[in-house]
Amino acid sequence: MEPKVNNFEHIEKPEIVVVETDVLLIGGGMAACGAAYEADKWASPQGIKVTMVDKAAVDRSGAVAMGLSAINTYVGENNAADYVKYVRQDLMGITREDLVYDLARWVDDSVHLFEDWGLPIWKKGDAGESLDGHQAAKAGKGSLRDGAQPVRSGKWQIMINGESYKVIVGEAGKAALEANRVATGVEQNLFERVFIIKVLNDKNDPTKIAGAVGFSVRDNKLYIFKTKTALLGCGGCVNFFRGRATAEGQGRAWFPVWNSGSNYAMGAEAGAELVLMENRFVPARFKDGYGPVGAWFLLFKAKATNALGEDYCVTNEDEARKYYGKYVDAIGTCMRNHMMIIDMKAGKGPIKIHTDVALQTLGETLDKKAMKHLEAEAWEDFLDMSISQAGVWAANNMAPEKVPSELMPSEPYMLGSHAGCAGLWVSGPGDFGPEEYFWGYNRMSTVKGLWSAGDGAGASGHKFSSGSHAEGRVAGKMMVAYCMDNPEMPEFAESADELAAEVFLPMETYAKFSGYTTDPDINPEYIRPVMVQQRLQKIMDEYMGGTSTYYMTSKTMLEEGLSYLEMLKEDEIHMCASDLHELLRAWENHHRIVAAEAHAQHILFREETRYPGYYYRGDFLAIDDDNWKCFTNSTYDKNTRKFKVFKRDYHQIIPE
């Protein structure tokens, strides 16, 4: 948002806190905690300062905040090349294979660290039976590091007792920060409940970062960070499309609601190149509760059918082949969605997952004690990571061991670490992949000194939680190397007063004009953040392929939606905020709008339907490998607020 004049005539001017550091970690999720852990090892001996700033609290920050029942990326007895093939297949043939291969080399070490720190991991018993983490410990099973066999729910997934997964990883990250604080003698290097809203560029070199600015969501304080390097580890983007939940459930989503596109918006505004922003993830989850389905499909072997009892992936194969040819043969996540959507549009719903049959079938080979334990694990799958799903079942008098449950594809989300690949275009490792994918420091963006990892690093999905942590570690080490190579502290042009005026303008606007009308929600001088978000969600849903059109869009629809988005961009400058919480919502909306436009512009540019089941271009309803088996990248001009979208070559490194 461009600042208007703000002389702080109507609100108290915030206290300005200036922090100088070498390595700045923005975010507190898995990627940022991995970066903190790894950076400390290399930074502390050199006296290099590492600082983390998170708008939440690290113990329960990020996509793993509520807990998790499985680690979805553990290579183990498999090999890195096969992992690349798996990711490439699921992302419809296009991925940065150098980044994916590099991750496969390091991810297991992060999983071993999780276990070292106390995460209970399921193990195979002496007779091949499955032991949960606590049973395995009682049975004297060793660690994965020592050769114990994990319980796999799929080729790459292993089961855990993960309610406290993020707390365990967060504690390790905070311990590393504390070690660095002591080593460098700084007073504080962990700032929680502080929301970073923009990255600052070097005044002498706009292709280089020099700092970041944000505000406390608890106190009247502006935080200005002067830094040599920064990591964007702020998650993906949710609630920029209108959701399926309504009334008191409005805002309920599968993806964490605090992920507001900050990675993408701040990166773009700093000048970083984005990649595959047309990609989005539409998870098929338990209806209304958004509960996870992975363990039910993979571990409990549940089947999903339409209302007629048909396997829609079988009955719709020929229809899918008309448009998507060879991509039907190795069916990925979006293609399973596509086949489900065909039946939903044909009136063959509701789609059901037969949890009851799965448990009854397993019960035929288990004794009562083992069956009771299995049922407990089935419930714990939700209590570990989606308590609301258990609430939905209870509210609807449903017992999943007795009746099937309905599945529903959700509203779209943008992310880079799950079954999606939107994000920043980052450098590869250098020892693997084409020269054009490497520009000096692994996972650094096209802006010098600016890194990303996890949901923020694009074209390399299926990292999940463990991969995000490992990728954060790669970035953390490289950020320290960059600081050693570039010891001078850069400078930004903005003054503290200018930054304060910009950040707190919505509060000044509210204080100045709220008395003009009897109802503070209706005012000709401002618009409230919730109204901006509702307008954004309506535009995206109806024109950019949301649930109301069964994810269908076209050139004409996108152009119409973009015209409405232009008007929203004009109006967002007039957002107000009555308190710090609403100020948070205002800046989150700004980030969502930038990310949403990038998404729409990329879909408009790519004239094919590369990700059926995630979105459809009705005017280009096929995959066109001859013209579009490439990366679609973009840059953003923050002065004109315009995107430029272009192609970059895809290089296949691992043979079929």
Side-chain angles (χ1 to χ4, degrees), residues 154-169:
K155 184 172 183 178
W156 307 101
Q157 298 82 13
I158 61 174
M159 297 298 295
I160 64 174
N161 295 83
E163 187 279 334
S164 296
Y165 185 15
K166 183 61 208 310
V167 178
I168 291 167
V169 175

Side-chain angles (χ1 to χ4, degrees), residues 165-187:
Y165 185 15
K166 183 61 208 310
V167 178
I168 291 167
V169 175
E171 285 296 325
K174 290 193 295 183
L177 289 168
E178 176 62 14
N180 180 261
R181 187 194 68 79
V182 172
T184 56
V186 299
E187 182 178 344

